[in-house]
Amino acid sequence: MPLRSTQGAESRSVGLTNIKELIPDGLDGLFQGLGEPPYRKDQLLSWIYGRGVKDLSSITVFSKTLRQRLSEGFYIFTPPLLNIRVSRDGTRKLLLGMIDGEGVESVLIPDEGRLTLCISTQIGCALGCRFCLTGRGGLKRNLRAYEMMDQVLVAMENLKEGERITNIVLMGMGEPLANYKEVSSFLRLATSRHTWNFSQRRITLSTAGLPDGIRRLFREFQVNLAVSLNATTNEVRDYLMPINRRYPLEELLKTLRGLPIPRRRRITFEYVLIDGVNDSPEDAERLVRLLKGIPRKVNLIPFNPFPGSGFRRPPMERVLRFQEILRSHNIATFIRESKGVDISAACGLLRASSKEPLKINEQGG
Ligand code: SAH
Ligand code: SF4
């Protein structure tokens, strides 16, 4: 059920179109039709995302006539921030109200001098991994590139004094490579000198492992890749991640081995540890063999439980034992205790459903 936003679309958009709907390709035609030069597109993006203007009439680099003509058909929709929840560990979860009333969550994670923004790429997810709350609800729709840009914009506008987003991870709701077109537009936009000039090296895309998308991503971008492996046999991976039936482990790993990985770069493997399912010492040994020859590091994520999941997080000794085995084979292995567990901001717990208590700008936690 869509969220009801109190600010937002309805009141301002009567008869007008959100100009962001035209991002990226439709803007060329718009300005051409108005007899304007192509660089107006860059100026528009720069004023909306670089400077954060909320009104077309404030884009003073445009002539009065142009502003006037744009305002006759368009307006700028900025998703209202419906809720912020703050975790004991400093993690903040932002709930945005999209133009169609859907809610989207992003998470700001401060950690050792870095401030990472985790954004969503879809509302829900079609891949249906059993351990993931997002996956349980199915896919509602893809997010547009501008809706990913808006998550970054709104997060930037709600930073504390002196804070700066240093990293962006596409690890929120959804499978980014199942929405390649919009995700790639987002990557181009966010790294454009007309907006934030964000470095590709500071962006990480996390995928359940779609081979075509992975190859294409490597051809077109230099962003970091994280692959959610989560199992060491096809039997267990088929069960946990149904996408494995289409792209089994051998095919996924062959794809990764075939990538032109530049020197000093490596693939991150994420491995959600689930008690009694994929966390045995034999699993660890098998993982070592599977990853042979791939420049990699491993992030172990102890499972974050949710009601009705049917899974448990392993005892800490078992997590440490798993890590130790990988390390003894010289695999850089880190335990990622998910941040923001107390506010359901942790990995796999994003859902942005209408069940979320909905209060404007409430400071929770
Ligand atoms: N669809 C992409 C990105 C979003 S999921 C992907 O699957 O990689 C981001 C990460 O959260 C993935 O590594 C996934 O394995 C992990 N995850 C999902 N549910 C989880 C849970 N309940 N506990 C811990 N990690 C989880
Ligand atoms: Fe989708 Fe990733 Fe969740 Fe799997 S783990 S259901 S791919 S969001």
Side-chain angles (χ1 to χ4, degrees), residues 2-33:
L3 301 166
R4 284 274 137 247
S5 78
T6 51
Q7 310 160 257
E10 298 94 309
S11 58
R12 299 173 53 199
S13 64
V14 189
L16 300 181
T17 303
N18 173 20
I19 199 161
K20 292 173 177 174
E21 296 283 347
L22 302 186
I23 294 174
D25 299 332
L27 291 175
D28 299 309
L30 171 70
F31 286 115
Q32 200 178 18

Side-chain angles (χ1 to χ4, degrees), residues 87-359:
S87 161
R88 280 190 296 272
D89 63 26
T91 301
R92 279 165 275 164
K93 183 166 78 166
L94 314 183
L95 173 65
L96 272 57
M98 297 331 234
I99 198 160
D100 58 354
E102 291 291 342
V104 167
E105 290 182 329
S106 344
V107 186
L108 271 168
I109 310 154
D111 193 20
E112 293 174 4
R114 296 199 295 193
L115 182 59
T116 301
L117 177 67
C118 174
I119 64 165
S120 297
T121 56
Q122 298 183 308
I123 299 181
C125 182
L127 301 196
C129 303
R130 278 180 193 262
F131 50 82
C132 173
L133 189 59
T134 307
R136 295 261 171 132
L139 176 69
K140 203 139 217 190
R141 68 170 174 89
N142 282 330
L143 287 176
R144 295 279 313 273
Y146 81 79
E147 296 180 302
M148 299 172 215
M149 292 294 283
D150 284 349
Q151 291 175 64
V152 182
L153 179 69
V154 173
M156 282 176 168
E157 290 174 345
N158 285 278
L159 296 177
K160 297 180 197 147
E161 187 87 14
E163 278 186 332
R164 193 173 59 87
I165 293 171
T166 58
N167 298 74
I168 297 176
V169 295
L170 283 65
M171 283 189 194
M173 290 192 295
E175 167 51 46
L177 296 181
N179 183 15
Y180 192 90
K181 181 167 169 284
E182 297 296 327
V183 164
S184 59
S185 290
F186 164 74
L187 294 175
R188 286 199 186 88
L189 284 165
T191 55
S192 154
R193 67 191 162 87
H194 300 294
T195 61
W196 306 308
N197 211 359
F198 212 91
S199 161
Q200 291 201 33
R201 298 296 161 89
R202 290 178 172 274
I203 300 179
T204 300
L205 182 151
S206 174
T207 177
L210 307 184
D212 293 340
I214 291 174
R215 280 191 290 266
R216 191 160 168 209
L217 185 77
F218 260 73
R219 278 200 301 274
E220 297 176 8
F221 298 98
Q222 284 94 48
V223 298
N224 301 297
L225 180 69
V227 176
S228 301
L229 206 62
N230 299 340
T232 60
T233 64
N234 280 323
E235 196 189 348
V236 175
R237 201 165 190 268
D238 281 353
Y239 168 71
L240 290 176
M241 305 178 73
I243 189 68
N244 194 68
R245 293 178 206 149
R246 202 145 117 219
Y247 306 111
L249 278 171
E250 303 76 51
E251 186 177 347
L252 174 57
L253 293 165
K254 190 168 157 228
T255 301
L256 299 176
R257 286 204 169 82
L259 293 174
I261 303 175
R263 238 189 244 269
R264 282 205 294 278
R265 283 195 53 210
R266 47 192 182 167
I267 295 174
T268 301
F269 288 92
E270 292 160 290
Y271 196 99
V272 179
L273 284 167
I274 307 174
D275 191 33
V277 176
N278 62 0
D279 63 340
S280 69
E282 295 73 45
D283 277 305
E285 298 284 356
R286 260 195 304 270
L287 187 53
V288 171
R289 289 198 292 277
L290 289 178
L291 301 188
K292 266 211 173 91
I294 306 176
R296 76 292 189 204
K297 68 170 185 168
V298 173
N299 283 341
L300 300 175
I301 315 172
F303 171 68
N304 293 311
F306 53 88
S309 73
F311 296 124
R312 283 185 316 266
R313 136 190 314 237
M316 204 54 198
E317 315 85 83
R318 226 165 139 85
V319 175
L320 289 169
R321 176 92 185 97
F322 202 97
Q323 180 188 36
E324 206 179 280
I325 295 172
L326 296 182
R327 285 196 164 166
S328 73
H329 290 274
N330 290 323
I331 298 182
T333 309
F334 307 91
I335 299 170
R336 289 272 174 258
E337 260 309 333
S338 295
K339 307 263 268 172
V341 175
D342 52 335
I343 56 164
S344 296
C347 290
L349 299 189
L350 297 185
R351 189 146 72 163
S353 73
S354 52
K355 293 189 191 82
E356 195 78 21
L358 204 60
K359 302 217 179 83

Side-chain angles (χ1 to χ4, degrees), residues 30-49:
L30 171 70
F31 286 115
Q32 200 178 18
L34 292 167
E36 296 287 336
Y39 61 78
R40 294 282 181 242
K41 170 181 172 175
D42 299 331
Q43 288 177 324
L44 182 79
L45 291 171
S46 159
W47 280 64
I48 290 181
Y49 288 110

